[in-house]
Amino acid sequence: MKNIYVYIWIWMLAGLCSCEESRRYELSSDDSVPPGEPVFLNAEPLNGGARIFFRPPADEDLLSIEAGYTNVVGKEVRAAASYFAQSLDIIGFGSAGDHQVSFYAVDRSGNRSQSRQITVTALEPALSMVAQSVQVLSSFGAMIVKWDDPLKENVYVFVDFSYTQNSSRQEYSSVFASYQSETRTIDSLKPVSGEPISVKVRVEDNYGNSMQAKDTTLVLPVDEKLPKEGWTLPAAGTEIGGIKQCSGTNIRHAIDGLTEVDVRNNFFITTAANPWNLLIDLGGTYELSQILTHQRYSWTDTSVQGAYYRGDNVLAYNMYTWDEETGAWEFVSRRSITAPLVKQESDYVTQGDAGDRGFLYPEEPRFSKPTRYFRLEAVTGKYISEITLFGRRTP
C-alpha cells in the first residue's frame, strides 16, 4: 500500500512539472512585458557569417534568442536559436570583415527585449570565392565558364553574352548553380567569323548579395571536320614509335564515315586486351581540336537502349598525337564516356546516335601541335563504330 502512495506522489509531481514547462509554450495575449536581455559572450567568424555565443535571460516564458541585420537590398536577415541553446549562427554577409548585428531575446507572446548592437567578424563568403575564381575561355563554337566553389553553397553564376549573327546583334543569358558543376560549356555559338563575343559574368547568392565576376570579350577559334578520304590505317602489327596497330574484324569500319545509324553492324571489334591502340594516318599534317566517337548499338537482347553506354563499347580512351620533332607520341588527354541521365530508355538512343563529342584539351581548348598521325588508346571496351576528328590543315 505504501508503494502505491509513492507512485501517486511521483505521478502528481511529474504532472506539476509538466504543467509548469507547458506554460512556457502558452501564448498570453495580455503579456506586454519584454524579456530580459541576453548576455553576449563572444563571436566566432564563419564564411559569410558568424557564430554568436550567449547566456540567455532567466525569463520563464523565453522563446528564443535572435540576431538580425538589413542586407544590401533592404531585406531583413534573421537567425534564431531556442532558449536552451548556447549559440546561434548568423549568415548571409556579402563580404569578409566586421558587420553590425542586432541581438535580442523574444518571449512566447512575441515581446522583444531591448535590442543591442554587436559587432561580429565574417570570413570570406562563398559569393566572393566563386566570383574571384571565374574564368571564361574561348573554344570551338563554344565558350567555357569555370569557377571554384569550395564551400558548395547556393551561389548562382549568371552569364550574359552577345554577338553579331546574320547582321543583327544577338543577346543571350544563362544561369548555373555553382555547387552542381564547376565547369559549364555554352555551345552552339555561331557569331560571324572573327566577331568578338561580349561576356559579362556576375555571381549572386540567396541573400541578395551580388558581385561582378568577369567582363571580357572572346574571339572563338574556327575548326572543321577533317576529310577522311586521305585517311589510312596501318596494317595490324605495324609499329609507329614503338606502338603496334591493333588487330580485329572490320577495322576499316572505324573510319568509313558510317555508324550504326546508317548501317546495322557497322562497327569495329578487336580481340586485343585492353589497353589496345588504333593508329590513324591522316594523309596530311593537321592541327587537331575535337573528337567525335560513336559506339556500337546492336545488342543481343531486344531492349531499346541496345549496347549504348554498356557492354564492351569503348567508354574510356587516351588520345595521342605524333611529334615529328621528337619522333615520339605525345599524350593529349583522356576521355571517359558516361551514361546520361535519361527520362526514358529511348533517350539513350537519341544521345548515342548523336555520338560523344569532346575537346582534345578540355581544360583549355586549343589546337594540337601539327601531326600526321593520331592514336586512340582504348582503356576499356572492344567495340567502336566510328571516329571523327576536327581541326585545321597546316600549310
Side-chain angles (χ1 to χ4, degrees):
M1 192 69 173
K2 182 178 180 180
N3 289 339
I4 293 177
Y5 292 137
V6 171
Y7 292 145
I8 292 175
W9 171 248
I10 293 174
W11 175 79
M12 292 175 65
L13 181 61
L16 180 62
C17 293
S18 176
C19 289
E20 289 296 323
E21 180 63 20
S22 68
R23 290 172 188 167
R24 180 184 293 274
Y25 297 92
E26 295 176 357
L27 292 177
S28 176
S29 59
D30 58 356
D31 178 12
S32 60
V33 179
E37 293 183 36
V39 177
F40 171 68
L41 300 178
N42 65 290
E44 293 181 356
L46 302 174
N47 291 103
R51 178 163 295 156
I52 300 171
F53 292 88
F54 57 83
R55 185 167 62 248
D59 297 71
E60 185 181 74
D61 62 345
L62 182 66
L63 174 64
S64 61
I65 307 299
E66 300 188 7
Y69 65 94
T70 301
N71 67 10
V72 293
V73 295
K75 179 181 178 181
E76 186 179 6
V77 178
R78 293 196 307 168
S82 63
Y83 65 90
F84 54 81
Q86 296 179 331
S87 67
L88 65 83
D89 292 350
I90 183 77
I91 58 176
F93 299 123
S95 62
D98 291 345
H99 297 270
Q100 293 293 308
V101 173
S102 297
F103 180 58
Y104 51 87
V106 179
D107 66 19
R108 293 290 167 183
S109 297
N111 300 308
R112 287 188 181 187
S113 71
Q114 184 70 30
S115 179
R116 176 184 176 186
Q117 290 293 309
I118 61 174
T119 300
V120 298
T121 303
L123 301 176
E124 184 179 12
L127 176 83
S128 60
M129 288 183 178
V130 173
Q132 293 175 27
S133 69
V134 167
Q135 300 178 61
V136 181
L137 306 175
S138 60
S139 186
F140 302 96
M143 65 178 171
I144 297 175
V145 183
K146 303 173 66 175
W147 59 83
D148 296 323
D149 184 10
L151 301 181
K152 303 299 180 187
E153 293 187 0
N154 291 331
V155 176
Y156 302 94
V157 180
F158 292 82
V159 184
D160 301 316
F161 58 99
S162 61
Y163 56 82
T164 299
Q165 180 187 26
N166 299 327
S167 302
S168 64
R169 195 68 178 171
Q170 307 293 322
E171 297 184 352
Y172 304 91
S173 294
S174 296
V175 59
F176 309 107
S178 66
Y179 61 90
Q180 292 178 339
S181 173
E182 296 182 348
T183 300
R184 290 299 181 97
T185 300
I186 302 174
D187 55 14
S188 300
L189 304 182
K190 299 179 181 179
V192 174
S193 180
E195 175 73 19
I197 298 177
S198 175
V199 185
K200 296 181 183 295
V201 183
R202 72 182 188 280
V203 179
E204 296 184 2
D205 63 18
N206 288 330
Y207 301 94
N209 300 303
S210 179
M211 184 175 292
Q212 197 66 26
K214 186 71 67 174
D215 188 344
T216 187
T217 58
L218 304 173
V219 176
L220 303 187
V222 178
D223 64 353
E224 59 184 5
K225 184 167 68 173
L226 302 190
K228 296 184 179 181
E229 289 78 12
W231 290 13
T232 58
L233 296 169
T238 301
E239 286 193 17
I240 299 178
I243 302 298
K244 290 185 178 182
Q245 176 75 302
C246 64
S247 59
T249 305
N250 297 322
I251 189 171
R252 182 67 193 177
H253 284 342
I255 62 167
D256 64 0
L258 302 173
T259 70
E260 285 207 87
V261 178
D262 308 300
V263 178
R264 184 77 167 178
N265 294 323
N266 190 278
F267 61 86
F268 163 62
I269 177 173
T270 183
T271 55
N274 293 105
W276 52 270
N277 292 274
L278 185 65
L279 312 179
I280 303 175
D281 182 344
L282 303 176
T285 304
Y286 293 88
E287 295 173 334
L288 307 181
S289 58
Q290 300 183 73
I291 184 171
L292 174 66
T293 60
H294 284 84
Q295 306 166 46
R296 173 188 180 179
Y297 173 71
S298 55
W299 193 240
T300 54
D301 63 26
T302 58
S303 66
V304 174
Q305 180 181 349
Y308 282 154
Y309 305 103
R310 58 179 176 173
D312 267 336
N313 271 305
V314 173
L315 299 178
Y317 58 88
N318 296 322
M319 293 176 280
Y320 299 81
T321 56
W322 178 254
D323 189 325
E324 194 66 42
E325 294 182 0
T326 62
W329 291 103
E330 182 176 289
F331 175 75
V332 174
S333 64
R334 176 172 179 150
R335 184 158 184 84
S336 296
I337 304 172
T338 57
L341 296 176
V342 299
K343 294 182 178 179
Q344 53 192 9
E345 197 175 18
S346 60
D347 292 340
Y348 286 118
V349 180
T350 301
Q351 297 198 43
D353 284 352
D356 176 77
R357 186 164 176 163
F359 303 117
L360 266 69
Y361 299 93
E363 295 300 317
E364 188 176 347
R366 63 185 187 275
F367 288 106
S368 71
K369 292 180 180 179
T371 185
R372 171 69 183 256
Y373 301 97
F374 176 78
R375 169 184 161 201
L376 183 146
E377 181 185 48
V379 178
T380 65
K382 307 293 184 184
Y383 315 130
I384 195 163
S385 179
E386 189 69 18
I387 298 171
T388 303
L389 296 172
F390 297 79
R392 64 187 179 189
R393 180 139 195 181
T394 57

